């Protein structure tokens, strides 16, 4: 969030990730008419199929097993669209509070494939897999949603699905790839792009989940196949029984080639533009995302819309509003990391070293100790 250098409270804003517009709360969120049209178009297909079955039953005055199967398939398709639409709305609100933990992505992918094995066979989808052990640090609920959305999207494009999970050589990130070939005919008729995965509710959902998780998503297409690649920047690399995240706690590790904390989000609460610039400079090139707000009220609203991994507060910005934010976040996670930039010089207190529950540093030691303090505080919760 870009700071204006003023302490005057601003009206709450909401980031609408569907169209990238920042909208004032008293104006309201403008609907994404394109997405609404896509939902309606996709929903019309199962509704048309249901209508056809009902008309056939009315004409024949009989209800067969084939009618039951057709109705069940149409209801399942409509239910999936409803669920996807609700997930998109929730993600786009920006009010998710993520709790990061180490997850075995390979186990999750294999389980999801096993759960869908019967449905894939019924639809004539062949599945080929090459799954390597990969552990990632993410929100568990969002990761489940991501794997489900990716498989549902890819399986709708063709009859041959190849799922690959591996570690990239450079950078050492987990990479999930889904390749679909033997493309099926376009179920949406007039939307040529939809047959390739463009402009569908499933594709919108995938992008929203990846954006919320800070993941890189890439799609490549040809006449013969479609490939989807999702890269996980926070991947655990095991070294002699210890993870790289556990070992790389010194400031030099932030500038190493692996950048283990890339994608981690820091929120700075201060109206001091020079202090904001100084902190940004310290973390330049580390891969950390640094957002700044000018007062505690803006910080409170920021955390409502998107929960950062660490909050840094200028001591001069301390207020009852910040105390409430501190209390709320600590209720959510007792170890949620806070760092206070102290006004008094020669201050260096690490959380856990004293009875204080947050780390405190003065401006004169930021250059030499802030990076290490951030890494150590984050290592306790990641």
């Amino acid at each position: 969030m870009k700071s204006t250098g003023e302490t005057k409270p601003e009206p709450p804003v909401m980031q609408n990730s569907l169209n990238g517009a920042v909208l004032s709360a008293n104006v309201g969120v403008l609907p994404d008419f394109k997405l609404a049209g896509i939902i309606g178009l996709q929903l019309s297909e199962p509704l048309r199929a249901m209508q056809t079955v009902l008309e056939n039953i009315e004409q024949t005055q009989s209800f067969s097993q084939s009618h039951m199967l057709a109705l069940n398939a149409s209801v399942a398709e409509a239910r999936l669209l409803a669920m996807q639409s609700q997930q998109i709305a929730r993600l786009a609100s920006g009010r998710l509070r993520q709790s990061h933990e180490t997850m075995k992505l390979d186990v999750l992918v294999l389980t999801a494939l096993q759960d869908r094995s019967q449905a894939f066979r019924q639809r004539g989808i062949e599945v080929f897999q090459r799954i390597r052990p990969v552990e990632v640090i993410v929100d568990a609920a969002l990761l489940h949603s991501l794997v489900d959305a990716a498989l549902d999207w890819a399986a709708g494009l063709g009859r041959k699905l190849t799922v690959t999970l591996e570690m990239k050589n450079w950078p050492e990130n987990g990479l999930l790839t889904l390749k679909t070939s033997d493309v099926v005919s376009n179920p949406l008729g007039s939307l040529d792009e939809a047959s390739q995965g463009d402009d569908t509710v499933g594709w919108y959902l995938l992008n929203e989940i990846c954006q919320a998780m800070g993941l890189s998503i890439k799609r490549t297409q040809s006449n013969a196949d479609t490939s989807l690649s999702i890269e996980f920047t926070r991947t655990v690399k095991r070294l002699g029984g210890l993870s790289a995240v556990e070992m790389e706690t010194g400031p030099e590790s932030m500038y190493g080639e692996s950048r283990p904390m890339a994608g981690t989000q820091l929120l700075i609460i201060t109206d001091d533009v020079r202090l904001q610039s100084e902190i940004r400079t310290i973390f330049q090139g580390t891969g950390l995302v640094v957002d700044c707000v000018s007062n505690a009220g803006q910080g409170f609203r920021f955390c409502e819309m998107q929960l950062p991994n660490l909050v840094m507060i200028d001591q001069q910005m301390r207020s009852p509003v910040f105390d409430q934010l501190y209390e709320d976040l600590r209720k959510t996670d007792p170890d949620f990391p806070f760092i206070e930039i102290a006004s008094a010089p020669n201050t260096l207190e690490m959380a856990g070293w004293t009875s204080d529950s947050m780390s405190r540093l003065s401006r004169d030691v930021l250059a030499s100790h802030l990076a290490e303090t951030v890494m150590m505080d984050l290592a306790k919760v990641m």
Side-chain angles (χ1 to χ4, degrees):
M1 181 177 295
K2 189 174 182 180
S3 172
T4 62
E6 300 177 359
T7 59
K8 182 180 179 181
E10 298 177 353
V13 297
M14 179 178 295
Q15 178 70 34
N16 181 0
S17 54
L18 295 180
N19 56 21
V22 178
L23 305 168
S24 173
N26 58 0
V27 174
V29 179
L30 295 177
D32 190 304
F33 293 109
K34 181 177 181 181
L35 177 58
I38 292 169
I39 293 174
L41 181 59
Q42 286 192 247
L43 189 58
S44 67
E45 181 63 23
L47 290 176
R48 183 197 59 78
M50 292 180 199
Q51 183 65 37
T52 300
V53 172
L54 292 175
E55 290 175 354
N56 187 266
I57 293 174
E58 185 178 9
Q59 291 173 0
T60 61
Q61 295 297 308
S62 65
F63 185 79
S64 65
Q65 182 68 19
S66 61
H67 292 147
M68 175 65 74
L69 292 175
L71 284 175
N72 283 337
S74 298
V75 169
E77 186 177 349
R79 183 184 296 114
L80 176 61
L81 283 170
M83 180 189 69
Q84 290 175 333
S85 303
Q86 292 168 357
Q87 287 179 301
I88 291 172
R90 181 169 174 264
L91 290 164
S93 73
R95 295 181 179 272
L96 292 178
R97 292 198 172 186
Q98 300 184 39
S99 178
H100 294 85
E101 57 184 285
T102 301
M103 298 287 296
K104 295 182 181 296
L105 181 56
D106 52 305
V107 174
L108 183 57
V109 172
L110 288 171
T111 300
L113 288 172
Q114 180 62 35
D115 291 342
R116 288 166 170 76
S117 59
Q118 182 177 354
F120 283 167
R121 284 195 297 270
Q122 292 176 347
R123 295 166 58 184
I125 299 175
E126 293 183 278
V127 179
F128 304 86
Q129 61 189 45
R130 189 176 74 243
I131 310 296
R132 300 287 184 265
V134 173
E135 289 184 272
V136 294
I137 303 173
V138 292
D139 180 87
L142 281 178
L143 183 62
H144 279 273
S145 297
L146 174 66
V147 172
D148 288 340
L151 288 175
D152 290 339
W153 178 81
L157 300 180
R159 297 186 179 88
K160 180 179 178 181
L161 176 63
T162 303
V163 182
T164 304
L165 179 63
E166 58 191 348
M167 291 281 289
K168 289 180 58 178
N169 292 330
W170 176 253
E172 295 182 64
N173 294 336
L175 184 64
L176 175 63
T177 304
L178 290 82
K179 182 178 180 180
T180 304
S181 54
D182 189 16
V183 177
V184 297
S185 60
N186 183 1
L188 300 183
S190 61
L191 281 183
D192 293 336
E193 298 91 347
S195 64
Q196 298 297 325
D198 285 341
D199 293 338
T200 64
V201 178
W203 180 246
Y204 267 84
L205 177 59
L206 261 178
N207 278 274
E208 288 295 325
I209 297 174
C210 286
Q211 179 172 317
M213 299 178 70
L215 305 180
S216 170
I217 180 172
K218 180 181 179 181
R219 183 185 65 211
T220 57
Q221 298 177 179
S222 69
N223 293 332
D225 54 57
T226 300
S227 293
L228 171 71
S229 298
I230 302 174
E231 186 170 341
F232 295 80
T233 55
R234 299 180 63 192
T235 302
V236 178
K237 295 170 279 294
R238 295 288 169 182
L239 302 172
L242 295 176
S243 71
V245 172
E246 293 166 340
M247 297 178 64
E248 295 174 347
T249 56
E252 68 280 355
S253 67
M254 299 184 68
Y255 300 89
E257 294 176 344
S258 63
R259 301 201 306 174
M261 293 298 179
T264 300
Q265 187 175 34
L266 311 183
L267 175 64
I268 304 170
I269 303 176
T270 180
D271 62 352
D272 189 327
V273 178
R274 290 186 178 181
L275 179 58
Q276 293 178 5
S277 177
E278 184 177 354
I279 295 174
R280 289 184 184 277
T281 300
I282 290 172
F283 294 112
Q284 187 175 2
T286 65
L288 277 77
V289 179
V290 179
D291 290 289
C292 300
V293 294
S294 298
N295 55 57
Q298 293 179 11
F300 199 104
R301 292 192 292 273
F302 184 98
C303 291
E304 285 184 326
M305 293 186 289
Q306 183 175 0
L307 185 64
N309 300 103
L310 182 147
V311 173
M312 200 175 302
I313 177 81
D314 183 348
Q315 185 178 3
Q316 298 181 15
M317 296 286 104
R318 292 290 295 263
S319 68
V321 175
F322 173 77
D323 294 339
Q324 183 64 51
L325 173 63
Y326 176 88
E327 183 178 344
D328 288 350
L329 293 184
R330 280 298 171 91
K331 285 180 180 178
T332 303
D333 181 357
D335 297 319
F336 189 92
F338 287 86
I339 296 177
E340 182 180 76
I341 309 300
S343 301
N346 301 316
T347 301
L348 178 57
E349 301 173 4
M350 298 294 295
W353 293 358
T354 69
S355 59
D356 197 357
S357 56
M358 73 170 69
S359 300
R360 302 180 71 246
L361 297 87
S362 54
R363 294 188 63 162
D364 57 322
V365 300
L366 290 182
S368 57
H369 290 91
L370 181 59
E372 180 180 3
T373 302
V374 167
M375 292 293 287
M376 293 184 70
D377 280 357
L378 288 174
K380 297 174 184 178
V381 294
M382 293 184 174

